[in-house]
Amino acid sequence: MRRGIPELEDLGSLQGRRVLVRADLNVPLATKPDGAVVVADDFRLRASRPTIDWLRAQGAEVVVASHLGRPKGHDPALSMAPVREALWAWYPGLEVMENLRFDPREQANDPGFAEELARGFDAYVNDAFAVSHRRHASIVGVPALLPSAGGRNLIEEVASLGVLLSDPEHPYVAIVGGAKVSDKLGLLERLAERVDRLLVGGGLCFTLLAASGWEVGGSLVEEELLAAARRLLDTGKVLLPVDVRALKASEPFGRDGGTAEPLVFVQGVPEGYRGLDIGPGTEAAFARALESARTVFWNGPMGVFEDPRLRGGTEAVARMVAACEGYRVVGGGDSAAALRMLGMEGSVSHLSTGGGAALDYLEHGDLVGLAALRHSREQ
Ligand code: ADP
Ligand code: MG
């Protein structure tokens, strides 16, 4: 039991029992020159193995179900066939259901669909933490019908992120970047209540910088959130950039950006320029703030890291977090991608693969899918 969630061991004897595993097999696909569709990165498939292995070792008959991509109705391009084939390398003949989202009743949390899914099973396991903030039939409907437990991945996420929720050692420092304040306002507000210092970079720092009186030129600002930004600044915990790297507003940037080198501006961005990464002075200030941290949470790249010219801040923060001695958690889809791109995925205490679910969990302290496991049918 972790935070009240039953674990695999709590399911009792599984010999000869049919167990439905809601896994996260939402992998990227690629088309080979001969037209064959294959799994491009099997990292999520490998991650599903501890749960499947354990259940099979107990003598359970495992059936796996997942969604794949965002199909609108039945879409052969998003069939589970390539995933099934990849899993068969380890588990020949393993039963893998078709893409759950082919049926609109999955996302509508239709009780009839949950019943169809649960039919013929003796137990249910949720190992899809990354989808556990969604009120979908396979996440919240099925556990109401079957004895249920969290799989190994889900429990590891809950345990690791749970440290940040219950008893983080202080000083606790959070670093938040990424695209928009509007995506993360709730998270920022919640973190500001818990942490000792909140370092802000990425696209969202410009709304806070504007609220603090900076000229921000053509940088990303969400005008309607300036008042909320001011309230965050009033907590006295926010450490904003002191300088930023910027490009002319006309310069293309991103994955297929141009070649102009960014300029560093201190205490403001002139008209006609766009701030796209934190600057060297900010990196130094963030390093000082992180030096003595006993707990660190990092979400969101510090700049447009997809563009090699605008990767410096994210890379610097990744190194600082890696060098820190405290408990270090990194979460968020793009943050995880950035850490993997830098080859540093093994350098933190926990790299959450939970994407938006991890951020929701830290903001709200619970997820609908976790509550459903806690209240699952009596074992
Ligand atoms: P995560 O998935 O880790 O939570 P987000 O999705 O919030 O992160 O943000 C990632 C995106 O933010 C990246 O695509 C990155 O290019 C973009 N971004 C970072 N800094 C800036 C900036 N200064 N201006 C515009 N976009 C930015
Ligand atoms: Mg993202």
Side-chain angles (χ1 to χ4, degrees):
M1 222 50 126
R2 294 279 187 148
R3 298 182 76 89
I5 300 168
E7 295 188 51
L8 298 180
E9 287 77 0
D10 297 313
L11 287 172
S13 167
L14 292 169
Q15 183 62 46
R17 301 273 164 157
R18 268 173 76 78
V19 180
L20 174 62
V21 177
R22 184 10 169 143
D24 178 13
L25 309 178
N26 183 28
V27 292
L29 300 173
T31 309
K32 293 213 291 195
D34 67 358
V37 179
V38 293
V39 173
D41 181 350
D42 71 351
F43 139 84
R44 286 199 167 115
L45 306 189
R46 281 184 275 120
S48 70
R49 295 196 62 187
T51 295
I52 298 174
D53 286 342
W54 191 87
L55 290 169
R56 285 164 61 114
Q58 303 300 303
E61 192 186 320
V62 174
V63 176
V64 185
S66 175
H67 74 283
L68 180 59
R70 298 181 169 177
K72 292 183 183 62
H74 189 96
D75 178 356
L78 289 171
S79 152
M80 294 299 283
V83 171
R84 189 176 295 125
E85 197 160 309
L87 284 171
W88 281 6
W90 300 309
Y91 311 110
L94 175 74
E95 199 178 321
V96 181
M97 284 188 186
E98 192 39 286
N99 193 339
L100 290 167
R101 292 192 186 166
F102 279 0
D103 194 317
R105 294 178 300 164
E106 158 70 354
Q107 286 171 276
N109 188 23
D110 181 291
F113 187 57
E115 268 170 42
E116 279 174 35
L117 287 174
R119 199 166 297 151
F121 287 102
D122 303 299
Y124 163 85
V125 171
N126 180 356
D127 207 20
F129 180 82
V131 203
S132 293
H133 56 323
R134 305 279 184 219
R135 207 177 284 281
H136 294 172
S138 69
I139 299 293
V140 298
V142 181
L145 305 170
L146 294 171
S148 305
R152 294 289 189 244
N153 278 314
L154 180 136
I155 295 291
E156 194 197 331
E157 290 279 6
V158 165
S160 303
L161 295 169
V163 172
L164 304 180
L165 287 168
S166 29
D167 53 349
E169 263 189 72
H170 292 270
Y172 175 11
V173 179
I175 314 150
V176 180
K180 291 195 201 148
V181 180
S182 50
D183 290 339
K184 297 186 181 170
L185 183 60
L187 177 72
L188 287 165
E189 289 172 341
R190 181 47 63 92
L191 285 172
E193 289 165 9
R194 293 175 189 271
V195 302
D196 301 293
R197 217 90 177 85
L198 178 56
L199 321 186
V200 182
L204 49 76
C205 76
F206 293 97
T207 301
L208 277 79
L209 286 170
S212 79
W214 267 44
E215 293 296 332
V216 295
S219 313
L220 186 70
V221 171
E222 292 172 277
E223 299 282 345
E224 67 286 3
L225 292 177
L226 285 171
R230 252 173 241 121
R231 281 196 300 279
L232 278 171
L233 298 179
D234 286 344
T235 63
K237 292 185 179 172
V238 178
L239 182 59
L240 286 174
V242 292
D243 57 1
V244 299
R245 294 184 172 95
L247 289 173
K248 272 217 169 87
S250 56
E251 169 75 8
F253 66 94
R255 221 167 245 117
D256 305 303
T259 53
E261 280 306 314
L263 299 177
V264 174
F265 293 110
V266 180
Q267 302 291 348
V269 180
E271 206 48 56
Y273 283 86
R274 191 184 291 163
L276 294 167
D277 195 6
I278 58 172
T282 305
E283 290 171 14
F286 283 10
R288 278 193 298 279
L290 279 165
E291 234 164 37
S292 60
R294 295 299 307 153
T295 306
V296 177
F297 171 66
W298 175 26
N299 161 257
M302 295 291 103
V304 181
F305 74 103
E306 298 90 340
D307 186 322
R309 300 170 297 170
L310 305 165
R311 190 172 291 164
T314 303
E315 205 166 339
V317 164
R319 283 189 209 300
M320 289 170 209
V321 172
C324 216
E325 281 174 13
Y327 184 71
R328 295 147 294 142
V329 177
V330 177
D334 292 286
S335 323
L339 213 62
R340 258 185 248 122
M341 188 173 82
L342 298 168
M344 297 175 74
E345 61 269 55
S347 61
V348 293
S349 319
H350 180 65
L351 174 58
S352 172
T353 56
L359 305 187
D360 255 41
Y361 189 43
L362 292 181
E363 181 181 343
H364 302 292
D366 204 4
L367 299 175
V368 288
L370 304 181
L373 290 175
R374 241 179 257 121
H375 303 121
S376 79
R377 220 199 67 190
E378 282 299 304
Q379 318 261 325

